[in-house]
Amino acid sequence: MDEPREQEAPPVGEEIHLPGPTFLPMLCAAGITLAVIGTTISIILVIVGVLLVLGTAIRWIRETRRDIAALPPDHTQ
């Protein structure tokens, strides 16, 4: 088996970037749930669920791109 790769800790004083809290994953999950339940109950629920998933996914991607763009140029992953 492969040994797990050890990652070096960032140097002292280097800030670790973490994304901010967001409600978008919960709304996306709610949209998926509505769409799945709507397949047995009503097409309206499917439409609302799909629109919710698309809207939250687009906003989530925009927020992530904005966060990444705000990182310093010498930032490594």
Side-chain angles (χ1 to χ4, degrees):
M1 297 223 150
D2 293 316
E3 294 181 23
R5 292 191 290 170
E6 293 183 24
Q7 295 182 354
E8 293 182 22
V12 175
E14 181 179 335
E15 185 178 334
I16 298 175
H17 173 73
L18 295 174
T22 182
F23 58 90
L24 294 174
M26 188 172 65
L27 285 178
C28 192
I32 293 170
T33 303
L34 275 177
V36 170
I37 291 173
T39 59
T40 60
I41 296 176
S42 169
I43 190 69
I44 294 172
L45 285 178
V46 174
I47 293 169
V48 170
V50 168
L51 289 175
L52 187 59
V53 168
L54 289 175
T56 56
I58 290 169
R59 185 164 173 200
W60 198 354
I61 291 168
R62 283 184 184 162
E63 285 184 11
T64 302
R65 291 177 59 95
R66 186 174 46 241
D67 284 348
I68 291 172
L71 292 174
D74 61 342
H75 177 76
T76 57
Q77 294 181 357

